[in-house]
Amino acid sequence: MFEHVEKAPVPLEKVRRYLEPGPIVLVSSACDGRRNIMTMGWHTVMAFSPSLVGCIISAGNHSFEMIRRSRECVINLPATALTDQVVGVGNSSGAEVDKFEHFGLTAQPAERVGAPLIGECHAHFECRLFDDSLVERYNFFIWEVVSARAAVSPEYPETLHYTGDGVFMVAGEIIDRREQFLPQML
């Protein structure tokens, strides 16, 4: 039975604490002999086939022009072991420092794009720009994932989910309800 729980108003600028769409990722890019990494939390799966991912990249971010010009990137999924690097990357500018070197991250060649993978990350999703019609107005890029690789173990890594104010939640506990799903909904 549902138990009534008192609810209080939430300031609108704090809504993200409840609706942040997914794990924090590290987006790597390369253009004209330069490379960079940015921390990103605003992304969403948009389609399964082709595999489309949408994300917000601020025009004020050093990666923005590199990614816009190269029309590709790698979305790297860090696990909790990289928490300090995730925060450091997000609090520094690639215009001032090589983030791979500064944060001890390993740039590895990708299979299908020119942007490097981050070797320490659990998974890598190589992306090519699919649709840039919303970039001018909203800084919203739509990517097609053209290659994907993930560590075999753990199958479900502990990932970081940013709630604002320097606070992360950690995903990791698995609740399996496969038997309740229709096969076509899995």
Side-chain angles (χ1 to χ4, degrees):
M1 192 96 208
F2 177 76
E3 182 179 325
H4 176 73
V5 175
E6 182 179 355
K7 297 187 175 101
V10 174
L12 299 181
E13 67 274 7
K14 304 286 185 185
V15 167
R16 71 183 283 187
R17 289 185 179 177
Y18 303 95
L19 298 179
E20 196 69 46
I24 292 296
V25 296
L26 294 172
V27 178
S28 51
S29 56
C31 187
D32 298 331
R34 298 176 300 138
R35 62 187 185 180
N36 196 36
I37 309 169
M38 63 170 280
T39 300
M40 181 175 65
W42 294 354
H43 54 84
T44 186
V45 171
M46 298 180 70
F48 299 124
S49 184
S51 179
L52 300 181
V53 176
C55 70
I56 302 288
I57 300 174
S58 170
N61 189 297
H62 181 67
S63 292
F64 180 86
E65 278 304 320
M66 293 174 69
I67 288 172
R68 191 165 193 191
R69 288 181 50 220
S70 70
R71 303 176 63 84
E72 59 186 28
C73 68
V74 178
I75 298 173
N76 300 274
L77 178 68
T80 55
L82 293 177
T83 301
D84 291 339
Q85 289 89 336
V86 164
V87 173
V89 164
N91 283 302
S92 59
S93 172
E96 299 167 2
V97 64
D98 179 325
K99 294 183 188 182
F100 283 96
E101 289 180 17
H102 189 77
F103 295 104
L105 298 170
T106 308
Q108 296 179 329
E111 294 177 348
R112 309 244 342 246
V113 300
L117 310 175
I118 300 172
E120 291 78 9
C121 285
H122 181 80
H124 319 282
F125 308 102
E126 299 178 36
C127 300
R128 288 204 180 110
L129 190 60
F130 184 81
D131 184 342
D132 66 353
S133 63
L134 298 173
V135 172
E136 267 316 303
R137 188 165 186 183
Y138 298 108
N139 296 330
F140 191 80
F141 292 77
I142 300 174
W143 301 103
E144 180 178 1
V145 179
V146 295
S147 180
R149 298 187 63 78
V152 176
S153 178
E155 184 177 0
Y156 300 104
E158 290 185 341
T159 55
L160 298 168
H161 298 257
Y162 191 61
T163 63
D165 296 324
V167 176
F168 295 89
M169 291 191 312
V170 175
E173 181 181 349
I174 305 303
I175 301 171
D176 185 344
R177 295 291 189 273
R178 285 187 183 111
E179 71 278 356
Q180 295 176 358
F181 279 78
L182 296 171
Q184 67 271 22
M185 301 306 284
L186 289 172

